[in-house]
């Protein structure tokens, strides 16, 4: 992976907070893959900074279990176990469903227009013969968080962000792999239902469509073998 194409070089005097913010966004957006290896130097070179602020930012992300650091100083994006993925998915269903329901009650016309704009961009990208996977991944994250921001629940939003920080790299596995789900535009149909519920102010439908989106992606991921299965004791399914 050419990291320099995914981040923006720093212009002002470097700060670990700036590096942290960019690395955090890479993880939440799912633009790096589980198991992918990076180095302090490669990150520093891509951002145009010294190694020190990168090391500080990486240590923060390691503490948050969003990155792993090996003895050889390489940084790795963690690969979740099946049980970890199931637990995070269960929590997401509850919290993100609640956020979507609340957003349906509070969303204003300006925010709704922005959400619709993101959804239309997502659909337009999907409609291309060869969709840009990176753009689809970015738009997916933007749509979800544009909705969650309307819930006016900052503590809940912070928790959701922390969950995406850990699960982001695997969430968009199907968008990267060009599977049948992509061909059938499954994600776009779930998003359309979410937007429609917001337009109607239907909190129940907003919650259900959001949860359907999460469940559909989770079922696919659980059946791909992309997770560590050593701790899998239950059939592969998402309730």
């Amino acid at each position: 992976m050419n990291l320099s194409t995914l981040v923006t070089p720093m212009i002002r005097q470097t700060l670990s907070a700036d590096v942290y913010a960019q690395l955090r966004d890479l993880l939440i957006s799912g633009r790096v893959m589980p198991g992918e290896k990076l180095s302090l130097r490669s990150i520093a070179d891509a951002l145009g900074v010294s190694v020190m602020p990168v090391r500080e930012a990486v240590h923060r992300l390691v503490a948050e279990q969003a990155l792993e650091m090996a003895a050889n100083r390489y940084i790795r994006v963690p690969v979740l176990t099946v049980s970890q993925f199931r637990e995070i998915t269960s929590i997401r269903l509850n919290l993100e469903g609640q956020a979507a329901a609340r957003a349906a009650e509070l969303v204003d016309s300006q925010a709704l227009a922005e959400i619709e704009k993101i959804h239309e961009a997502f659909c337009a990208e999907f409609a291309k013969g060869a969709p840009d996977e990176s753009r689809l991944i970015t738009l997916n994250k933007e749509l979800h968080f544009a909705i969650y921001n309307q819930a006016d629940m900052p503590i809940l939003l912070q928790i959701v962000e922390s969950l995406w920080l850990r699960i982001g790299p695997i969430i968009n596995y199907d968008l990267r792999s060009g599977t049948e789900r992509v061909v059938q535009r499954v994600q776009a149909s779930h998003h359309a239902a979410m937007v429609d519920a917001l337009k109607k102010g239907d909190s129940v439908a907003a919650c259900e469509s959001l949860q359907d989106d999460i469940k559909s992606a989770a079922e696919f991921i659980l059946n791909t073998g992309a997770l560590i299965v050593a701790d899998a004791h239950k059939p592969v399914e998402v309730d």
Side-chain angles (χ1 to χ4, degrees), residues 193-209:
M194 290 157 58
V195 172
D196 184 60
L198 292 175
K199 291 166 72 172
K200 294 177 179 177
D202 189 334
S203 60
V204 174
C207 177
E208 290 178 348
S209 57

Side-chain angles (χ1 to χ4, degrees), residues 36-154:
E36 190 165 346
K37 291 182 179 180
L38 305 169
S39 70
L40 295 176
R41 175 52 61 189
S42 68
I43 297 171
D45 289 345
L47 291 170
V49 301
S50 66
V51 171
M52 184 174 293
V54 174
R55 181 181 291 110
E56 293 171 354
V58 165
H59 283 165
R60 285 181 66 183
L61 291 165
V62 169
E64 293 173 315
Q65 299 182 51
L67 290 174
E68 298 172 339
M69 183 173 286
N72 59 6
R73 295 188 180 182
Y74 271 88
I75 301 105
R76 189 178 82 127
V77 180
V79 179
L80 293 175
T81 65
V82 169
S83 65
Q84 288 173 332
F85 181 80
R86 288 183 187 278
E87 182 178 358
I88 293 174
T89 298
S90 177
I91 297 169
R92 289 184 63 213
L93 287 170
N94 286 289
L95 293 186
E96 294 177 41
Q98 182 181 356
R102 182 67 171 163
E105 298 172 356
L106 299 178
V107 66
D108 58 34
S109 58
Q110 182 177 350
L112 185 57
E114 180 60 29
I115 290 168
E116 287 188 275
K117 182 179 178 180
I118 298 170
H119 173 58
E120 289 169 0
F122 187 83
C123 291
E125 192 64 43
F126 247 128
K128 295 179 180 178
D132 183 334
E133 295 170 4
S134 178
R135 180 160 169 74
L136 285 175
I137 289 167
T138 298
L139 289 169
N140 180 66
K141 179 254 184 179
E142 289 181 0
L143 178 67
H144 277 261
F145 280 92
I147 293 172
Y148 303 155
N149 274 315
Q150 294 308 303
D152 194 26
M153 302 178 75

